[in-house]
């Protein structure tokens, strides 16, 4: 049907787009499917059908359309800008990399596509590959601020902090109004009285027309810089400003979270429909817990073992559960996914997960999956992957919550910008972890952060024994790690293990009192 008049095809595409814009998702899906009848394998229609089916919650159809769009071999930069994040949504990393490679050579790729490709590679924990695209973008235009800031972020993941700082400074000279630059510069190094950006940040906060996201970036940067200088009252005031700005953009309901956690605690799986993979000698090691509880540190230490490959924060198990339940939701899980999981083939989800991460393990039998929020998935993991080991990082509640409060995440962790909501979330998390321990005795090992930093060898010996691994002294040499770290701890985890005499939250105790009281209630 290649002889279809372009005007007729465009009219149908315009109709589909109008239906989508009016939130008639089913009508838009039907219209784009008509487009495919007229022109099979039209990549734009396939990409839009992937988006629309995601919005309707149909995970498998959305994934199929994204993969079909990738199979068309399109190299149109505008289409790739939409296709790449689609493929990343489904953790179809080999297909994502193939789509990027088809657009090469890099010298012919427009700068926006180079930046987009690098972003998607970073999101899937491949910053070592991402940096090449940003190097090319910088070669094409050495002073383009979006390139410099994107490159600085990836350089931070790679531990190349000096270079990151240079790119940030170069960007700020060209575009001092970009809020992200101040946020990156605040965290890439410790600020001093002689060298800081406080005056510049305060000036930028007064710039007319600032969005809530801009204010959040600037205020979190200002908090970090005042904190570095020991100016705690000013640091707290900046943190409050940043949290309020960020929270204003997010929807969060503690009651809905409580209902979700309750549904997890009553979850009962269906009898297994397929083999549970008991004979598979692959050993996934899940590192879970609250964000900022020390999960990255534990993974860095374990990665030093010759038999263990640290894979970072993966969403492959989340994808496997979405596929098993054919449900696309925001966040790691929602109540509908939990309901559908009761009738899902969890063993098949486990096999799908192992297949999706096998290429990352590079032949190693053991690997770590360090997505903290997988504590929500423990009930599914325990049934889907009977051989898996689950390490639960436990840290002082006030330290954990304060560290969350002063961290600006992307769109995740909406509970972390209000001290009371954060405390309530921590209490729900603790209750759920107590349930998992009771439900799956012996499957979960609590690893205490305080013990890990005070006696790393003793705690690592306990961890290695739990995982069925011989202890290896190389685990203790954290300074020898060269692997990329794509987490909020990218800077701190490069340092040697340090024991603080005084907790980081102590200077803020008077302002944290309501949160502390709530945690202790």
């Amino acid at each position: 049907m290649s002889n279809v008049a372009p005007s007729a095809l465009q009219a149908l595409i315009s109709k589909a787009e109008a239906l989508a814009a009016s939130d008639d998702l089913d009508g838009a899906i039907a219209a784009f499917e008509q487009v495919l009848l007229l022109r099979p394998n039209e990549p734009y229609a396939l990409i839009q059908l992937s988006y629309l089916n995601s919005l309707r919650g149909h995970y498998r159809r959305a994934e199929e359309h994204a993969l079909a769009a990738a199979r068309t071999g399109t190299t149109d930069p505008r289409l790739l800008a939409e296709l790449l994040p689609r493929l990343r949504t489904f953790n179809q990393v080999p297909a994502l990399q193939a789509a990027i490679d088809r657009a090469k050579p890099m010298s012919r790729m427009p700068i926006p596509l180079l930046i987009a490709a690098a972003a998607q590679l970073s999101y899937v924990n491949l910053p070592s590959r991402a940096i090449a695209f940003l190097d090319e973008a910088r070669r094409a235009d050495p002073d383009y601020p979006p390139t410099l800031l994107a490159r600085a972020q990836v350089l931070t993941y790679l531990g190349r902090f000096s270079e990151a700082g240079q790119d940030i400074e170069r960007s700020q000279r060209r575009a001092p109004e970009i809020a992200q630059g101040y946020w990156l510069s605040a965290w890439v190094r410790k600020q001093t009285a002689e060298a800081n950006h406080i005056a510049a940040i305060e000036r930028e906060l007064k710039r007319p027309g600032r969005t809530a996201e801009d204010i959040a970036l600037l205020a979190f940067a200002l908090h970090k810089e005042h904190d570095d200088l020991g100016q705690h009252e000013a640091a707290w005031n900046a943190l409050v400003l940043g949290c309020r700005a960020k929270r204003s953009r997010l929807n969060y309901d503690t009651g809905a979270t409580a209902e979700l956690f309750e549904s997890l605690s009553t979850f009962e799986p269906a009898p297994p429909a397929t083999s549970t993979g008991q004979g598979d000698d692959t050993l996934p090691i899940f590192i879970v817990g609250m964000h900022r509880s020390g999960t990255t540190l534990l993974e860095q230490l374990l990665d030093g073992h010759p038999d263990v490959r640290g894979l970072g924060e993966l969403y492959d198990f989340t994808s496997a559960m979405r596929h098993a339940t054919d449900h696309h939701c925001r966040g790691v899980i929602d109540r509908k996914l939990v309901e559908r999981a009761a009738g899902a083939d969890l063993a098949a989800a486990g096999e799908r997960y192992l297949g999706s991460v096998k290429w990352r393990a590079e032949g190693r039998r053991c690997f770590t999956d360090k997505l903290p929020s997988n504590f929500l998935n423990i009930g599914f993991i325990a049934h889907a992957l009977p051989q898996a080991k689950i390490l639960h990082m436990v840290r002082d509640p006030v330290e954990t919550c304060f560290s969350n409060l002063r961290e600006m995440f992307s769109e995740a962790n909406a509970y972390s910008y209000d001290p009371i909501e954060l405390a309530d979330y921590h209490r729900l998390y603790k209750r759920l972890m107590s349930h998992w321990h009771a439900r799956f005795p012996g499957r979960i090992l609590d690893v205490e952060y305080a013990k890990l930093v005070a006696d790393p060898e003793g705690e690592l010996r306990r961890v290695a024994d739990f995982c069925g691994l011989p202890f290896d002294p190389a685990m203790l040499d954290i300074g020898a790690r060269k692997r990329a770290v794509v987490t909020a701890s990218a800077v701190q985890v490069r340092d040697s293990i340090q024991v603080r005499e005084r907790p980081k939250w102590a200077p803020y105790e008077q302002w944290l009192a309501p949160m502390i009281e709530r945690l202790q209630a």
Side-chain angles (χ1 to χ4, degrees), residues 149-198:
L149 293 177
R151 188 170 183 271
Q153 182 72 78
V154 174
L155 288 170
T156 300
Y157 297 149
L158 296 172
R160 293 160 60 181
F161 305 126
S162 178
E163 292 176 73
Q166 292 169 16
D167 274 7
I168 296 166
E169 289 177 9
R170 193 166 185 165
S171 169
Q172 288 178 317
R173 286 195 297 270
R174 180 78 176 268
E177 72 280 4
I178 299 179
Q180 185 193 13
Y182 297 95
W183 181 71
L184 288 170
S185 62
W187 288 95
V188 78
R189 65 171 176 84
K190 186 171 182 176
Q191 310 300 311
T192 66
E194 296 75 28
N196 63 75
H197 312 87
I198 289 174

Side-chain angles (χ1 to χ4, degrees), residues 231-276:
Q231 299 165 350
H232 297 118
E233 183 172 3
W236 175 258
N237 291 335
L239 182 58
V240 169
L241 176 63
C243 284
R244 286 177 178 168
K246 186 69 175 179
R247 181 68 180 85
S248 71
R249 299 181 59 254
L250 302 170
N251 292 319
Y252 179 71
D253 182 351
T254 296
T257 300
E259 291 174 0
L260 171 62
F261 281 38
E262 179 62 25
S263 70
L264 285 169
S265 67
T266 58
F267 167 76
E268 291 290 345
T274 62
S275 167
T276 59

Side-chain angles (χ1 to χ4, degrees), residues 361-379:
E362 298 180 350
R364 307 241 191 134
R365 185 178 74 88
C366 308
F367 64 85
T368 58
D369 182 338
K370 187 213 75 72
L371 184 66
S373 53
N374 266 332
F375 79 84
L376 296 165
N377 281 321
I378 286 176

Side-chain angles (χ1 to χ4, degrees), residues 464-484:
D465 183 64
F466 176 79
C467 295
L469 296 167
F471 173 77
D472 193 296
M475 292 190 287
L476 298 171
D477 188 9
I478 196 169
R481 305 294 183 275
K482 302 302 180 186
R483 61 187 287 268

